[in-house]
Amino acid sequence: MRDLIEKWSGESLVVSYDQPTGTWIFIAIHSTVLGRATGGCRMRVYETPDEGMLDAMRLAEGMTYKWAAIGYEIGGGKSVLAIPGPMDPPVREGLLRRFGRLIESLQGTYATGEDLGTTPEDMAIVAEETHWVHGSRSDASRAVDPGPYTARGVFVGIKSALRAVYGSDEITGRTVLIQGVGDVGEPLARSLREAGAEIMICDLDEALARRVASELDGEAVVPHLAYARTCDVFAPCAVGATLNRETIPQLHCRIVAGSANNQLRDPEDAELLHKRGILYAPDYVINAGGAIALPAIDSGKVTDDEVWNRVNRIEAKLDEIFREAAADGESPVLAAKKLVERVLAEHAKG
Ligand code: NAD
C-alpha cells in the first residue's frame, strides 16, 4: 500500500476500515486545482484491499481529467467501498451511512455520487448523512440515474468519431458492438438502433445479452469472441482494462468509443490502437454525460432541455480532440491530455 501511495500523483487519500462489514473504504482526492474533488462511489469485491485502493486512485485521476476536459471548475476524486461479499440490505445501509458520515467529516473537500455497484437508492441513504452527494435526494424516488445521460454522451461521441473516420455521422447501416448492456450500454444500444445501426451485444450475463439483442433485432455475441467481430464501432460499456495488448490485435473495427472508465489497461495501449488505425475516443471525455448532468440537475436551476444540451456538447469537444490529434498525427489520448494540461496550467496561473 505504501508503495502505491508514494507513487500516486494525487493530493490525498482517506483510508478507513469499516469493522462491522469488513469493508475497506478509500476516498481518493486527486486534484482540487479546479475545485471540490467530485466523483462517484464504486462498490465491489476486490481480491485485495490494495486493488481497491489502486482503483480509487486511478479513477480519481480520471475524474480530474474528465472535469478539466469538459471545462468544469471541479476537481478529481473517487471513492471505493471494497466489500468482502454481498450484504443484506440493513447491513449495506449501515455501511452507506458510515461512509456518508466519513464524507461529511471532510467538510466539502469531496463529493460523491453513483458508480459501478452503487445505485441512486444507495446515494439517497448516503445523502441522509452528508450534504456532499450528487444525483440523489433524501427521497429515493427522486434519485437521478446517470446512465441515460452517459449513454447520450456516448451516442453523440460515436457520431463525432464516425465523422472523423468516415466523413459522415450517418448511423444507419453502421454496425456497433456493445460490450456490457447495463445502465449505460442498454440505453445506448436502444438509441443507436433507433438511429438505424445494426447492433451486436456481448455481456457476461449472456441471458441479458440475448434478451436485449433480440429486442433490437441484433445479435448476441459470446464475450470472449466479441473483440474479433467485424464492426464499425466497438463500444466498451462494461468494466475497465478490456483493451490491452491481448485484445487490441484482435479488433476488427475502425472506432473504439464507449462508456467504461479506464478502458486501456496500460498507457501504451493508446499507441497500439493508433498504430492499428483505430480511432479511440478518450474514455473520460466520451463518458462524461452523467457527470455533466448530475450537478446541473442537483442545482435545480437548469431545465431538462438545457441538461441534455450540455451533455450533447461532448460531441463538439470530441470533434476538437480528434481534429487536434489528426493535425499532429498523434492519438486522441495525447491530444486530450494536452488539452487537460492547458486547462489545469491556465487555472493554476489564475
Ligand atoms: P452496469 O454494472 O450497470 O453494467 C455493466 C454490464 O457489463 C453488466 O451487465 C455486466 O454483466 C457487464 N460486464 C461486466 N464485465 C463484462 C465483460 N468483461 N464483458 C462483457 N460484459 C461485461 O454498469 P454501467 O453503469 O452501465 O457502467 C458501465 C461502465 O461505464 C463502467 O465501466 C462505468 O464505470 C462506466 N461509467 C458509467 C457511468 C454511468 O452513468 N453509469 C458513467 C461514467 C462511466
Side-chain angles (χ1 to χ4, degrees):
M1 241 183 215
R2 185 180 152 177
D3 202 37
L4 293 175
I5 295 169
E6 281 178 2
K7 281 191 194 136
W8 189 47
S9 62
E11 288 176 11
S12 51
L13 180 76
V14 177
V15 181
S16 170
Y17 181 68
D18 185 63
Q19 285 285 357
T21 59
T23 298
W24 282 92
I25 302 176
F26 300 104
I27 301 177
I29 295 167
H30 180 259
S31 171
T32 54
V33 170
L34 294 178
R36 174 179 304 115
T38 304
C41 169
R42 179 163 292 196
M43 188 192 291
R44 55 165 281 204
V45 177
Y46 292 87
E47 297 226 330
T48 63
D50 282 20
E51 275 185 30
M53 186 179 78
L54 188 61
D55 213 15
M57 295 192 305
R58 287 186 63 189
L59 291 164
E61 186 169 353
M63 291 308 296
T64 300
Y65 275 72
K66 178 176 299 186
W67 295 124
I70 60 176
Y72 277 45
E73 297 204 337
I74 299 176
K78 202 89 178 185
S79 50
V80 160
L81 301 179
I83 53 174
M87 284 175 196
D88 290 337
V91 179
R92 185 179 174 106
E93 180 175 335
L95 168 65
L96 290 166
R97 289 194 181 282
R98 290 184 289 280
F99 171 59
R101 290 198 285 276
L102 181 62
I103 293 175
E104 189 62 16
S105 75
L106 302 177
Q107 301 182 321
T109 309
Y110 167 71
T112 198
E114 188 200 340
D115 192 69
L116 208 71
T118 54
T119 63
E121 290 72 24
D122 288 336
M123 287 305 121
I125 294 170
V126 177
E128 285 177 13
E129 303 295 338
T130 178
H131 296 88
W132 309 110
V133 180
H134 291 294
S136 173
R137 302 286 183 283
S138 50
D139 171 3
S141 64
R142 294 181 59 212
V144 179
D145 177 3
Y149 298 97
T150 305
R152 170 70 73 86
V154 177
F155 178 84
V156 297
I158 286 175
K159 284 179 53 178
S160 168
L162 288 172
R163 263 196 314 276
V165 168
Y166 297 110
S168 158
D169 61 12
E170 181 57 59
I171 287 177
T172 303
R174 295 284 172 210
T175 306
V176 184
L177 194 157
I178 299 168
Q179 181 185 48
V181 274
D183 281 354
V184 181
E186 181 167 353
L188 174 66
R190 289 187 190 285
S191 55
L192 285 165
R193 181 65 192 142
E194 264 170 38
E198 301 298 325
I199 302 295
M200 288 194 274
I201 283 167
C202 79
D203 198 293
L204 290 186
D205 182 342
E206 295 193 36
L208 171 69
R210 280 195 298 276
R211 176 179 64 74
V212 179
S214 87
E215 285 172 17
L216 303 179
D217 294 325
E219 183 189 351
V221 177
V222 178
H224 73 277
L225 300 179
Y227 301 99
R229 291 303 297 266
T230 301
C231 56
D232 295 295
V233 183
F234 182 83
C237 297
V239 288
T242 64
L243 298 170
N244 51 58
R245 71 182 72 117
E246 287 84 44
T247 58
I248 291 170
Q250 299 175 40
L251 292 173
H252 271 87
C253 61
R254 295 291 309 281
I255 293 165
V256 170
S259 72
N261 281 309
N262 299 326
Q263 290 169 34
L264 307 178
R265 188 167 67 196
D266 299 306
E268 309 82 71
D269 296 328
E271 206 44 42
L272 280 184
L273 285 165
H274 185 54
K275 283 202 182 117
R276 287 212 52 212
I278 297 171
L279 187 76
Y280 172 67
D283 45 12
Y284 58 83
V285 183
I286 194 169
N287 73 12
I292 291 170
L294 263 53
I297 295 168
D298 266 6
S299 75
K301 295 179 187 149
V302 182
T303 63
D304 278 359
D305 281 353
E306 177 54 17
V307 173
W308 289 109
N309 285 341
R310 289 185 187 183
V311 173
N312 288 341
R313 285 181 207 143
I314 289 174
E315 186 170 352
K317 187 58 72 178
L318 281 168
D319 286 345
E320 183 187 338
I321 290 167
F322 293 146
R323 240 189 340 262
E324 286 198 19
D328 295 344
E330 63 191 18
S331 78
V333 169
L334 269 184
K337 188 163 187 274
K338 285 185 190 166
L339 169 81
V340 166
E341 282 165 359
R342 276 199 307 272
V343 170
L344 291 172
E346 274 162 26
H347 205 88
K349 263 196 274 165

